[in-house]
Amino acid sequence: MFVMDAATQKAIKKYPHRAVDIAQSYDEKQIKCKEWLCEHIEMANIPKVKRIYVAGSWYGNALVPQLKEIFPDTEIRLHDIDEEVVGISKNIFFKDDDLVKPDHIDCAVYEYKYLVINTSCEHMAPLKVRPGSYVALQSNNYREIEDHINCVDSALELAEQYGVKDIIFAGDLEFEKYTRFMVIGRV
């Protein structure tokens, strides 16, 4: 049984017009995909990195706690184009965490390095990632949603989009209406 934590309760009270969106960030599929990602990042034995970037981070509430368990002393930068989402993350979910820094950034114009995580690749064109950087990417083949502008049909297609040269993991999860693809590796 899911019990809503105090931070989520506060976010919904302070931003009632975002209540559905905040609740959707805890959707069973969202959680399952984030857990799947973190499980494989941990198994990948990626060396300690200076910084982790989460592109299209949304609120970060489902992913960041898991990342902090794997990389407890690493700075995590949350990038999202939605300024209000960033404000909620900054002022409610990660207000007292000096290692988590939400930023209002258009991911398309940023050049990423170290470890780049994008669990919403279907929502954006491939990001600019410096050679030698690690990536953990998720996308899907669910083209029925208007905002899904960059769907793929396999994990290998996703790896090709990002120029992943050293694939550590590539796999998929089947859901009722779509398949979720993931690749972890080095560009």
Side-chain angles (χ1 to χ4, degrees):
M1 174 190 249
F2 176 74
V3 177
M4 191 181 299
D5 66 346
T8 304
Q9 290 176 27
K10 182 178 179 184
I12 288 173
K13 285 179 186 170
K14 190 169 181 181
Y15 299 91
H17 62 286
R18 293 304 282 242
V20 171
D21 193 53
I22 293 166
Q24 285 176 339
S25 71
Y26 290 102
D27 176 82
E28 181 181 345
K29 290 180 213 152
Q30 291 286 335
I31 300 300
K32 185 174 185 172
C33 290
K34 304 306 189 271
E35 288 173 346
W36 182 47
L37 177 101
C38 288
E39 174 187 329
H40 285 282
I41 283 178
E42 193 165 26
M43 290 188 322
N45 289 319
I46 294 171
K48 182 178 167 91
V49 291
K50 179 179 178 178
R51 188 173 296 125
I52 298 169
Y53 292 95
V54 182
S57 60
W58 207 3
Y59 299 101
N61 51 341
L63 181 60
V64 170
Q66 296 176 72
L67 288 174
K68 289 178 69 66
E69 286 183 27
I70 302 167
F71 302 99
D73 301 319
T74 302
E75 181 182 288
I76 301 171
R77 297 258 176 111
L78 304 177
H79 289 177
D80 203 280
I81 199 164
D82 186 326
E83 193 168 3
E84 190 169 40
V85 163
V86 171
I88 293 168
S89 296
K90 197 179 284 187
N91 295 305
I92 294 176
F93 290 117
F94 304 109
K95 183 177 183 176
D96 300 319
D97 193 329
D98 293 335
L99 288 176
V100 180
K101 300 181 182 321
D103 291 310
H104 175 237
I105 289 179
D106 181 351
C107 300
V109 299
Y110 199 83
E111 184 179 25
Y112 290 94
K113 58 184 175 180
Y114 306 118
L115 171 56
V116 182
I117 297 172
N118 185 350
T119 62
S120 55
C121 292
E122 67 274 13
H123 288 275
M124 61 187 83
L127 304 173
K128 298 173 200 158
V129 180
R130 286 189 189 170
S133 300
Y134 288 92
V135 292
L137 309 166
Q138 288 184 346
S139 189
N140 62 50
N141 60 354
Y142 194 37
R143 292 176 172 85
E144 295 174 24
I145 295 178
E146 187 177 326
D147 289 348
H148 287 190
I149 61 164
N150 191 34
C151 291
V152 295
D153 293 311
S154 71
L156 294 179
E157 183 181 347
L158 181 58
E160 286 175 13
Q161 281 188 349
Y162 275 79
V164 179
K165 304 291 185 217
D166 178 21
I167 296 176
I168 299 168
F169 174 83
D172 57 74
L173 278 178
E174 293 288 331
F175 291 101
E176 184 179 331
K177 295 183 179 182
Y178 61 91
T179 303
R180 190 91 176 137
F181 303 105
M182 182 167 70
V183 65
I184 297 172
R186 199 166 189 180
V187 175

